Amino acid sequence: MEDRERVLVDVWDWPTRVLHWVNALLVISMIVLILGVEWMEELGIDKKLRRPVKEWHSWLGHVFMITLSLRIIWGFAGNKYARFSDILPMKSWQWQAIGHNIKWYLSGFRGRAAHAIGHDPLAAVFYSVLFVVLISQALTGMLLSGADFNTFPGTLFTAGMSEAALEGLEDTLGGLHEAGFLFILFFIAAHLIGLVAHELKEKTGLLTSMVNGKKCLPREDADR
């Protein structure tokens, strides 16, 4: 693997890279804030002091709705590696690559992972689910914020609801929001494991490619 001639290939365009890091930082910040609220509650800190932290979580969620929407739009307008056609596993070669990479992981990373210039096909399965979860998180968070803090645009749906209806809404959406939160924690862990595995075994500069947009690929892979 190390003896192969390598070339730099432009993969990620700048909007994809910027939105990747902005969305990642927003998600991590919201996780830290909501965990902070839970820890404060465990320590018995008064609800009035916990509320501003939860409000910051809510406001970051509103910013995230905008940046997530931009990433979804860019999934149709970006270069071929930014598009959903490169993410969603809809082609036969992608499913073959998914099977190959599952075997690659189970074998302890023996041999090579399946060739992919853009999104790794196995990781793309998780990305596809992640987009659905993130959209759900954005929508449920918007409604919960409208119910809790009377913030727009959630209030378009929650304004005028009775107290009992709001409580029922919060119970239902709160459960969905928490389930999405747990999936995001799982995704982050799986993403980091996959990143380390590919960096150590494939040496394509996967992490730095999200900074400079370029992957370092064996020439025979780049020419396909």
Side-chain angles (χ1 to χ4, degrees):
M1 181 71 181
E2 288 75 15
D3 295 334
R4 290 189 171 122
E5 182 186 359
R6 290 174 173 270
V7 293
L8 288 175
V9 179
D10 288 315
V11 179
W12 312 119
D13 53 25
W14 72 264
T16 299
R17 304 195 309 271
V18 170
L19 289 169
H20 172 87
W21 290 112
V22 169
N23 285 330
L25 289 172
L26 284 170
V27 167
I28 291 170
S29 298
M30 286 187 287
I31 288 173
V32 170
L33 288 170
I34 205 63
L35 288 177
V37 171
E38 293 182 4
W39 291 334
M40 291 170 75
E41 186 175 4
E42 289 290 327
L43 293 171
I45 295 174
D46 189 82
K47 188 175 181 179
K48 288 182 180 179
L49 296 176
R50 303 196 307 264
R51 185 177 176 86
V53 181
K54 194 173 181 181
E55 283 184 307
W56 270 104
H57 172 88
S58 171
W59 283 115
L60 287 181
H62 282 75
V63 176
F64 179 70
M65 283 195 296
I66 297 171
T67 58
L68 177 62
S69 298
L70 291 174
R71 180 60 185 93
I72 291 171
I73 291 170
W74 203 246
F76 297 98
N79 74 5
K80 64 180 180 179
Y81 302 117
R83 298 191 177 198
F84 288 116
S85 57
D86 190 64
I87 300 174
L88 300 176
M90 297 183 294
K91 305 179 184 71
S92 60
W93 73 265
Q94 289 173 306
W95 285 105
Q96 291 171 2
I98 288 168
H100 177 92
N101 280 0
I102 290 174
K103 293 177 182 177
W104 184 67
Y105 275 96
L106 294 177
S107 70
F109 314 116
R110 294 176 184 170
R112 296 186 64 202
H115 161 70
I117 295 179
H119 291 89
D120 172 81
L122 179 57
V125 173
F126 292 97
Y127 295 143
S128 301
V129 178
L130 179 68
F131 270 103
V132 174
V133 171
L134 290 177
I135 292 169
S136 172
Q137 291 296 93
L139 293 175
T140 55
M142 174 192 70
L143 293 171
L144 288 168
S145 182
D148 285 344
F149 307 117
N150 292 318
T151 53
F152 181 85
T155 49
L156 292 175
F157 304 92
T158 60
M161 292 180 68
S162 67
E163 189 171 325
L166 284 174
E167 287 181 3
L169 181 72
E170 289 179 14
D171 287 342
T172 302
L173 296 184
L176 287 173
H177 205 67
E178 186 171 350
F181 169 73
L182 294 175
F183 174 82
I184 290 170
L185 291 181
F186 162 76
F187 174 84
I188 291 172
H191 186 55
L192 292 175
I193 291 170
L195 175 64
V196 171
H198 281 274
E199 283 284 8
L200 293 178
K201 296 296 292 184
E202 298 299 293
K203 297 180 174 63
T204 59
L206 186 57
L207 178 60
T208 56
S209 72
M210 268 299 166
V211 177
N212 59 24
K214 301 177 186 294
K215 281 187 177 182
C216 183
L217 300 172
R219 182 174 291 279
E220 63 269 27
D221 288 349
D223 292 339
R224 292 185 193 180

